[in-house]
């Protein structure tokens, strides 16, 4: 191999290893964050997604992106937010499997649900 080909080959190997390392690092860092929480956006008088499925232990955060206040209230009284102004957030950690229906007490036509599944391998 000529000297230039050796340099190109060495740079190519280093770039490949760097890309693999960066990809692995990304998934290592992103994995737990994705598993730790979920988000529901409040906008245009809707909860989005209107139905969310999570594992027990997940913290769900509602984020009011609407330009008017809203609340998040469970029909079974498991949780209740304060009035959320624009850009306010409310979080709740779901520890018990089941279906949690909720609504906005200021606009009762706004509804949603959180379905909490048992963690795989967990005993109830």
């Amino acid at each position: 191999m000529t000297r230039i080909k050796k340099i190109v080959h060495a740079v190519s190997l280093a770039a490949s290893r760097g890309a693999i390392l960066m990809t692995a690092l990304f998934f290592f860092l992103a994995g737990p964050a994705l598993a730790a929480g979920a988000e529901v956006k409040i906008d245009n008088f809707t909860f989005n997604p209107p139905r969310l499925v999570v594992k027990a232990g997940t913290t769900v955060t509602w984020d009011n992106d609407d330009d008017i206040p809203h609340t998040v209230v469970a029909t079974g009284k498991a949780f209740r937010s304060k009035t959320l102004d624009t850009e306010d957030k409310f979080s709740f950690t779901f520890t018990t499997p089941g279906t949690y229906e909720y609504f906005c007490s200021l606009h009762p036509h706004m509804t949603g649900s959180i379905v909490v599944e048992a963690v795989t391998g967990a005993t109830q």
Side-chain angles (χ1 to χ4, degrees), residues 39-116:
E39 188 172 64
V40 176
K41 294 285 189 182
I42 304 169
D43 196 19
N44 198 25
F45 292 91
T46 61
F47 293 109
N48 190 26
R51 180 177 184 269
L52 181 64
V53 179
V54 299
K55 295 290 184 187
T58 301
T59 298
V60 175
T61 299
W62 287 263
D63 187 0
N64 186 9
D65 289 341
D66 215 338
D67 57 356
I68 60 169
H70 293 288
T71 64
V72 181
V73 180
T75 57
K77 301 182 182 180
F79 55 87
R80 181 183 189 94
S81 74
K82 66 175 184 66
T83 300
L84 304 174
D85 287 323
T86 303
E87 298 182 9
D88 280 352
K89 296 179 185 215
F90 168 70
S91 295
F92 183 80
T93 301
F94 292 88
T95 57
T96 306
T99 299
Y100 297 81
E101 304 287 336
Y102 64 90
F103 65 101
C104 171
S105 63
L106 303 173
H107 313 100
H109 67 280
M110 292 176 58
T111 62
S113 65
I114 306 294
V115 178
V116 181

